[in-house]
Amino acid sequence: MTENNATAMDYAEHEKTYAGFVAFTKVGVIACINVVLCLLIFGLGSGYSNLAGTVALLATIIAAVVGLFAGHRGWIPSAVVFVISGLLAILTVA
């Protein structure tokens, strides 16, 4: 028979990894939706839509990076940028 040398599972580390995965997923999903919103601004906007889309896209990237280091509340910066981008989309597309 073979020896069983497996150690017990480290549940604290497992919970920490899972919390990090969930936080990363939240930030990633909001950032992806925000990129689609920026594409809407670029494609359908008029006037200063190129500038607004560029600013919104850069803000999305910065908010995603900040959110990844912020922990379990990391989705908040991306959500704020999403709301601002939505307002820019309303102003440029309408």
Side-chain angles (χ1 to χ4, degrees), residues 35-47:
V35 167
V36 171
L37 190 59
C38 291
L39 290 172
L40 173 81
I41 293 172
F42 281 126
L44 299 177
S46 60

Side-chain angles (χ1 to χ4, degrees), residues 23-41 56-57 59-61 63-65 68 75 77-79 81-82 85:
F24 178 78
T25 302
K26 288 178 188 178
V27 171
V29 166
I30 295 172
C32 286
I33 293 170
N34 208 3
V35 167
V36 171
L37 190 59
C38 291
L39 290 172
L40 173 81
I41 293 172
L57 189 58
T60 298
I61 294 168
V65 170
L68 291 177
W75 60 272
S78 292
V81 171
F82 175 73
S85 297

Side-chain angles (χ1 to χ4, degrees), residues 10 48 70 72 74:
D10 187 3
Y48 60 95
H72 69 282

Side-chain angles (χ1 to χ4, degrees), residues 62-73:
I62 292 169
V65 170
V66 169
L68 291 177
F69 290 107
H72 69 282
R73 296 198 187 268

